[in-house]
Each structure stands twice: as C-alpha cells, then as structure tokens.
Amino acid sequence: MLKRDPLQIIPFLTYGTSKHLYLRGRALEDEDIDLSKKGWFNLLVNSWKRFETDEIRNTAIQISVEGNEFHLKTDAEGYYLYDVSTELDFKTDAEGWLSYKVKYNDNSLKRHIQQDNLFKGQMLVPSQEAKFGVISDIDDTILHTGVTSRLKWKVVVNTFFKTPLKRKALEGTAEFYELLHDTVNPIFYVSNSPWNLYRYLEFFLKSNAFPKGPILLRDFRTPFDKTPKLELAHKYHEVFNILKTYPDLKFILIGDCGEKDAYIYLDVVEKFPNRIAAIYLRSVEHKKRMKRIKNLFKDYKELPVLIVDNSSEAIMHAKAHGFIEM
C-alpha cells in the first residue's frame, strides 16, 4: 500500500483590528519541501511539489484565540478564512501580533497530522503609535525576479531553479524597510505570486532581515477553476482592503516601474484622497517602460514620488520628508 503524506495547516500572516479578526491559511498534505536543498534536480522537485498541491478540502477545523473556539470548514481548495467582527478583548505582543492556534477537527481523518495537530498563526493589529503604514510589492521591488525580461524567462529561472537563500534582495532594501518600520509602523507585502509560493517568500523575507509583515498573495487559478473571481485585480483588491481596514492611517506605497504598479498607485491616490503619504518606484532595466513612467510623473505635484535607482537615495528622500528620523 502506497504511503500517504502527513497533513499540515499553513496559517498565513494576516492583519486585522482590535474589533475584527481576519485569519487565513491553507490545509494541505505535507510534501516535505526543504527550501535549503541545492542542486537543480532537488530545486525542480521542490518547485513541482509547491504547485502540485494536495489540498484537504471541505474539512472541519477549529481556531482557538485566547481560549475562544471557532469552528469552520476549508473550501474546495483547502483554504480557510475567518473574517468576522468581534467583541473579544484579545492581547497582542509588543509589535502588534495576535497569536492563535488552528487544528483539524474531523475525526474521520485517519492520517498522521504534523505538529500534534496544533498549528500556530498570527494576525497583525498595528500599534496606536504607528505614524503610517507601508504597502510594498515584492517582485522586482525588493526581490530580483525579472518580470520585464523577454518572455519572462528570468521569472521562470529565478522561481524554479533558485532556493530562497540564493535569491538576492535588491541592495539596501531591507535597511530601508527596517528604518520605515521603526518597530511600530506596519509593513504589508503584496504580490501577484500565487499562495503556492507563500513559504518560499516568507523564508526569503526572514532570511534577508526584512521586517515581519502580512504576506498577501493570490489564488493560483487553473483553466478548470470554478471559484468566483475577484471583482478587482488582486493588487487593487488588497491595497483597497488595507486602506479601508485602517481609515485613520496614511500609507507609503512602494513598487517598481516594470508592470502596473505606477498606474495602480495613481488610481489609489485618486480613490483615497489624503491617504497616501508618498510613492516609491524601483527602476527597472527596460528603457521604454522607464521613459513611460518618468513621463507619467514629470509634472506630478500631488504628493512626493521618487523613482528609485538605489536604496540610499530612497533613505535620504524619506528622511527629508520625515518618514525616517534623522
């Protein structure tokens, strides 16, 4: 009889408020992916495992938050989402993280479950002392991905044939983000990468000393996927949701000049007046796109915008505008 993989639950780093719980994650078979393994064959096998997932569908789970229990089911792709207003008086740690526990709650599962069926998740509640928040893209903004490469071949090479330890953060970005974070200012990471890369990106951010923050990815849709599509594109949806969740907090938006970040951010400024403190856009090696983005902001006076060639000038700009203490 073929041995079946043990079960796991991956709680995603999420965000909420003292009156709203937003807890999200995914129930999957544990494919034993070792993110530190080297060699092209191991990398290819790990990449295959990340996308050839075995979800635990429509299965009962239990979430425990400081002694309070909530019961729900995973959906058709193994995701769970607990998104409710609450009167719970819960406590967070010094940086605003609320810890919770999630487990399978289905006695019919005759499978080995990792971690004694107790998985730890966290939700960020920004401090009242936060001066602003930061919403940042990942690909080609802090992690060299190659989105602008011809036929996107660099994206394939970087994603499938490099471990997170071999991926390089763009120089100085971790320092820039840490200075902006300043212990209390929340950082949100938004990417068009699929949830299948969640642990890969979480490992990359942690190993490169980026501030801890919610990581917001998108569903990896197949041609046969029948789940409803979002009305807004993924990045729009996530940025809008963050701004609506924290109506009293201003935000700095960070992206790159390679894809649609500039146009998305300008639309955000229009739809949320007086909510955006500044925009930073990392330059890319693509002459036509760079020329287009520079022309877009040539006479822009609404708020500070910097096209970033290196992180040192971004740090200087942020200091000059009071986002980083001198």
Side-chain angles (χ1 to χ4, degrees):
M1 184 176 178
L2 190 65
K3 185 179 177 181
R4 302 176 77 184
D5 290 324
L7 305 184
Q8 65 175 336
I9 297 176
I10 303 175
F12 304 141
L13 292 174
T14 60
Y15 62 94
T17 72
S18 60
K19 299 296 182 182
H20 197 101
L21 290 173
Y22 185 80
L23 313 176
R24 190 174 189 178
R26 199 176 192 189
L28 301 163
E29 289 188 1
D30 188 345
E31 302 282 359
D32 190 28
I33 297 175
D34 186 346
L35 292 170
S36 64
K37 273 189 176 181
K38 299 177 181 178
W40 70 268
F41 181 74
N42 288 325
L43 290 171
L44 194 58
V45 169
N46 281 342
S47 296
W48 167 257
K49 288 179 178 179
R50 278 198 293 271
F51 286 91
E52 196 283 311
T53 53
D54 293 307
E55 305 88 359
I56 312 304
R57 305 177 180 90
N58 307 310
T59 301
I61 63 169
Q62 176 183 299
I63 291 176
S64 300
V65 182
E66 297 187 350
N68 299 276
E69 295 180 356
F70 308 102
H71 299 269
L72 58 156
K73 280 191 172 185
T74 60
D75 67 13
E77 294 186 46
Y79 294 104
Y80 71 83
L81 175 62
Y82 191 68
D83 182 10
V84 295
S85 297
T86 178
E87 295 299 322
L88 288 181
D89 184 21
F90 50 74
K91 297 178 181 178
T92 62
D93 66 16
E95 290 201 6
W97 291 98
L98 168 71
S99 295
Y100 72 94
K101 296 174 183 177
V102 57
K103 69 176 186 177
Y104 288 100
N105 196 30
D106 187 342
N107 293 327
S108 67
L109 290 173
K110 306 299 181 183
R111 305 278 295 275
H112 174 68
I113 303 175
Q114 302 287 47
Q115 298 184 33
D116 296 323
N117 192 23
L118 200 61
F119 302 87
K120 296 179 181 179
Q122 288 187 303
M123 182 190 86
L124 179 65
V125 181
S127 168
Q128 294 294 318
E129 297 178 9
K131 297 175 182 177
F132 55 82
V134 176
I135 301 174
S136 174
D137 179 43
I138 295 178
D139 301 319
D140 286 330
T141 300
I142 59 177
L143 169 65
H144 180 64
T145 305
V147 172
T148 60
S149 61
R150 188 175 180 83
L151 301 179
K152 305 229 188 302
W153 68 270
K154 285 186 179 179
V155 177
V156 175
V157 171
N158 286 323
T159 303
F160 291 95
F161 295 98
K162 287 186 179 181
T163 69
L165 290 173
K166 287 289 186 182
R167 300 291 296 277
K168 290 186 177 180
L170 294 174
E171 188 176 353
T173 49
E175 179 190 359
F176 179 41
Y177 283 49
E178 191 59 51
L179 289 168
L180 289 172
H181 174 48
D182 194 25
T183 308
V184 294
N185 299 322
I187 312 283
F188 301 83
Y189 301 98
V190 180
S191 171
N192 276 326
S193 295
W195 285 112
N196 306 64
L197 290 175
Y198 177 83
R199 279 194 163 165
Y200 184 99
L201 293 173
E202 182 185 39
F203 190 88
F204 166 82
L205 291 168
K206 187 174 182 179
S207 61
N208 283 277
F210 280 91
K212 183 178 175 182
I215 302 170
L216 309 167
L217 309 182
R218 66 175 177 84
D219 190 14
F220 179 65
R221 300 184 67 88
T222 67
F224 308 103
D225 195 337
K226 295 181 180 180
T227 56
K229 289 184 178 181
L230 295 173
E231 290 184 15
L232 295 171
H234 168 66
K235 277 189 182 177
Y236 272 111
H237 174 80
E238 295 296 352
V239 174
F240 284 15
N241 197 49
I242 293 167
L243 288 164
K244 289 175 181 177
T245 301
Y246 308 111
D248 298 324
L249 199 60
K250 284 196 171 187
F251 282 87
I252 292 172
L253 305 179
I254 307 179
D256 65 81
C257 297
E259 292 280 280
K260 299 178 181 178
D261 290 351
Y263 301 97
I264 291 173
Y265 291 171
L266 283 177
D267 197 45
V268 170
V269 171
E270 184 178 335
K271 287 184 170 60
F272 293 86
N274 303 314
R275 294 291 310 283
I276 306 305
I279 295 174
Y280 291 91
L281 295 168
R282 174 75 63 168
S283 61
V284 296
E285 294 181 3
H286 195 292
K287 289 182 179 180
K288 285 186 178 179
R289 292 186 186 183
M290 287 302 303
K291 184 178 180 180
R292 192 182 308 138
I293 300 302
K294 286 179 178 178
N295 286 335
L296 185 66
F297 288 102
K298 186 172 62 175
D299 299 314
Y300 191 74
K301 306 293 184 183
E302 188 78 18
L303 51 87
V305 176
L306 180 68
I307 294 176
V308 182
D309 291 319
N310 62 74
S311 295
S312 296
E313 63 183 21
I315 291 171
M316 290 176 60
H317 181 276
K319 285 181 177 179
H321 286 83
F323 307 133
I324 295 173
E325 291 188 10
M326 300 291 283

